[in-house]
Amino acid sequence: MKYSKIFFLCFFFVLNSIWAQEDVFRHPLSQQTMAAFNATCTNLAEKPIVKGNFVQEKYLNRLDRSLISSGNYIIAAEQGMVWETLKPFPSTMIMGKDFIMQSRPDGRKSVLSAQGNESFTQMADILSSVFSGRGQGLLENFEVYFSGSVSNWNMGLLPRSSVFASFAAKITMSGDSAIRSIRIFEQNGDVITYTLSNLSHPTRLNNHEEAFFTLP
């Protein structure tokens, strides 16, 4: 599923030292942890715009090596996401509501339209659930595992959607009042790890940032 692959190559978020110590998949969501899970989702949903820096480490299973990149990101609940890679090579990936666009250093842009693509729409809805803290969307699309507290939580997600499961075997996330790290375990054995830092939560995007979500 090429749209699934593109979505995840853009990502989001991981800090190994926190949750490597404990397997979150040993903690299915339960009545005891539901209140903390709901409060965590509420905290995430209260921040419709998140900006910050990211470091991505992609472990390539067949080569037994890792590739590291870094840059800036924007997650805007109403518009989409921007992943601006600065190192080792500059590039920008923009995921709008109905398109994906990649800009290269030489000025070339590649655009994929999502119109009429059911897989794209489903993936967009699932990712929106993850990043905007829509608890009901998470419960509908994933088998959810949760440990910790609202101020220091870990979450594990096993996909229910066949579209999502065709790419990702599972996802783990950790954070506090915001998502700080994400790890995506791909079906082919590759692992994408994101660490998010220097987070800010502006009430609106500036003109330059708004322009990211306008097709040329």
Side-chain angles (χ1 to χ4, degrees), residues 11-12 68 73 83 93 111 122 138 147 153 166-167 189 202 216:
F11 280 120
F12 217 195
I68 297 177
Y73 75 95
W83 297 88
M93 182 73 76
V111 180
Q122 185 176 357
L138 291 175
S147 65
W153 54 268
S166 67
F167 172 75

Side-chain angles (χ1 to χ4, degrees), residues 1 20 32 67 71 79 97 102 111 121 135-137 144 189 195 200 214 216:
M1 306 296 293
Q32 289 72 30
L67 303 176
Q79 288 98 332
K97 290 296 185 181
Q102 183 174 21
V111 180
T121 302
Q136 187 59 39
V144 179
T195 301
S200 64
T214 303

Side-chain angles (χ1 to χ4, degrees), residues 10-96:
C10 301
F11 280 120
F12 217 195
F13 7 164
V14 171
L15 191 63
N16 296 324
S17 60
I18 295 179
W19 29 268
Q21 301 173 4
E22 179 182 28
D23 183 3
V24 69
F25 292 104
R26 297 173 61 183
H27 302 278
L29 190 62
S30 65
Q31 290 184 345
Q32 289 72 30
T33 55
M34 183 62 76
F37 169 76
N38 287 335
T40 296
C41 291
T42 297
N43 281 344
L44 297 178
E46 288 177 346
K47 302 174 179 65
I49 299 176
V50 183
K51 297 166 55 178
N53 307 129
F54 74 88
V55 174
Q56 173 191 288
E57 178 179 357
K58 181 164 185 175
Y59 172 73
L60 302 174
N61 180 51
R62 65 185 179 85
L63 299 178
D64 192 24
R65 61 173 296 192
S66 295
L67 303 176
I68 297 177
S69 58
S70 61
N72 306 316
Y73 75 95
I74 302 171
I75 299 172
E78 297 301 320
Q79 288 98 332
M81 305 178 191
V82 177
W83 297 88
E84 184 181 20
T85 300
L86 301 178
K87 296 180 180 180
F89 307 105
S91 66
T92 302
M93 182 73 76
I94 302 166
M95 296 178 287

Side-chain angles (χ1 to χ4, degrees), residues 177-188:
S177 61
I179 299 172
R180 301 291 178 174
S181 60
I182 295 178
R183 174 176 281 175
I184 302 166
F185 297 80
E186 298 183 4
Q187 292 288 4
N188 63 5

Side-chain angles (χ1 to χ4, degrees), residues 99-110:
F99 71 91
I100 296 176
M101 180 168 63
Q102 183 174 21
S103 300
R104 296 177 175 82
D106 60 6
R108 290 184 300 160
K109 296 182 179 180
S110 301

